Amino acid sequence: MKIISWLIATLLALLLLCALAIYLWLGASLADYNGKYQGAVANPVYLERDQLGYLTVQAQDRSDAAYGLGFAHAQDRFFQMDLTRRSAAGELAELFGNRALETDIKHRRHRFRLRAEQQLSRLSHTDLQLLTAYSRGVNDGLANLRSSPFEYTLLRTKPSPWLESDSLLVIYSMYFDLQGKLGRDEYAMTKLQQALPTDWYQFLQQHSADWQAAIDGSKVSVIPMPDPLSP
């Protein structure tokens, strides 16, 4: 009985040590919400979160605010940000190997990485400065974590720095989420517009006023049902 008791106690101790090691490992990749950091900003930037975790960025100019926002994004969600840019660019196989190759091939047909880099050259100096400040914030936020997000340890790789073009890739990635990879929604709407009178097309495509929350307080007017179509 003494041997069995000793084995059980040893097993429990090992389990507790393993649990503690996992806890410390996961905790090292979490942001320190009470920390202070030296950043590439002209004036102090304050990141505050309420009880629900909603973030407020306080800064004296937009560039510093963009930096602070990027810093917070990286500390909270860098791996998800990485997946989003890689999905748009067709670079998921760098993380997941051959299992993501087919998806990458489909996405690379859109050449979103090239389009994002080309779009950077068309941005105004002010907008490019904001993107640059945001990218600096992302990379500094990632660097100030005690450990890279745990997903990279599981994948046995390291995160790549955030580029200005990556922010545009995130926008392009929404194309896949909202429009579909093959543009079938747009094609269907085009066929519908060609087949119906204008008033019926506008009625069927209207947005419900019940689901609108415009920043300027404006509301969408309801389009009434048109007269019945002639047979």
Side-chain angles (χ1 to χ4, degrees):
M1 290 299 295
K2 290 183 179 181
I3 295 177
I4 295 176
S5 299
W6 181 85
L7 289 176
I8 293 175
T10 302
L11 180 60
L12 290 175
L14 289 175
L15 290 175
L16 288 174
L17 287 175
C18 289
L20 178 62
I22 293 174
Y23 175 81
L24 294 175
W25 170 55
L26 293 176
S29 64
L30 297 178
D32 180 7
Y33 291 160
N34 297 314
K36 294 183 179 180
Y37 305 94
Q38 293 292 331
V41 291
N43 298 286
V45 177
Y46 299 94
L47 306 178
E48 298 178 355
R49 292 172 174 83
D50 61 17
Q51 294 180 348
L52 297 177
Y54 289 103
L55 173 70
T56 299
V57 180
Q58 296 186 28
Q60 295 188 23
D61 57 57
R62 293 186 67 192
S63 179
D64 286 353
Y67 177 93
L69 184 63
F71 192 99
H73 282 172
Q75 294 227 319
D76 288 345
R77 288 286 185 171
F78 185 84
F79 182 73
Q80 288 73 19
M81 294 167 64
D82 195 10
L83 290 184
T84 304
R85 64 173 174 178
R86 288 180 181 276
S87 176
E91 299 170 354
L92 288 171
E94 294 182 13
L95 291 178
F96 303 109
N98 290 334
R99 69 186 65 183
L101 190 58
E102 182 178 352
T103 299
D104 281 352
I105 292 173
K106 292 179 180 179
H107 289 190
R108 286 205 181 196
R109 294 171 182 169
H110 299 277
R111 305 178 72 189
F112 281 149
R113 170 68 73 180
L114 176 61
R115 294 176 187 273
E117 293 172 351
Q118 291 175 338
Q119 187 63 29
L120 283 178
S121 63
R122 303 187 184 102
L123 294 179
S124 66
H125 178 69
T126 300
D127 289 341
L128 186 58
Q129 276 189 324
L130 290 176
L131 275 183
T132 301
Y134 177 82
S135 298
R136 287 201 309 268
V138 171
N139 292 323
D140 285 354
L142 180 64
N144 277 282
L145 290 174
R146 290 173 293 166
S147 175
S148 297
F150 72 91
E151 294 91 344
Y152 294 101
T153 302
L154 296 176
L155 294 170
R156 292 183 293 180
T157 187
K158 295 181 179 180
S160 299
W162 192 263
L163 306 175
E164 284 79 4
S165 57
D166 292 334
S167 296
L168 300 181
L169 282 173
V170 172
I171 298 174
Y172 286 135
S173 72
M174 297 302 295
Y175 171 82
F176 294 133
D177 295 332
L178 301 179
Q179 301 298 327
K181 301 176 181 62
L182 301 178
R184 290 172 177 166
D185 292 343
E186 292 180 342
Y187 178 75
M189 293 306 101
T190 299
K191 299 296 290 185
L192 186 65
Q193 187 176 23
Q194 293 172 348
L196 294 175
T198 301
D199 54 353
W200 270 98
Y201 176 77
Q202 292 176 344
F203 169 74
L204 293 173
Q205 289 301 301
Q206 67 177 308
H207 296 284
S208 172
D210 296 335
W211 300 100
Q212 301 300 313
I215 296 177
D216 61 2
S218 60
K219 295 185 178 180
V220 176
S221 299
V222 177
I223 301 176
M225 180 182 293
D227 295 331
L229 295 172
S230 301

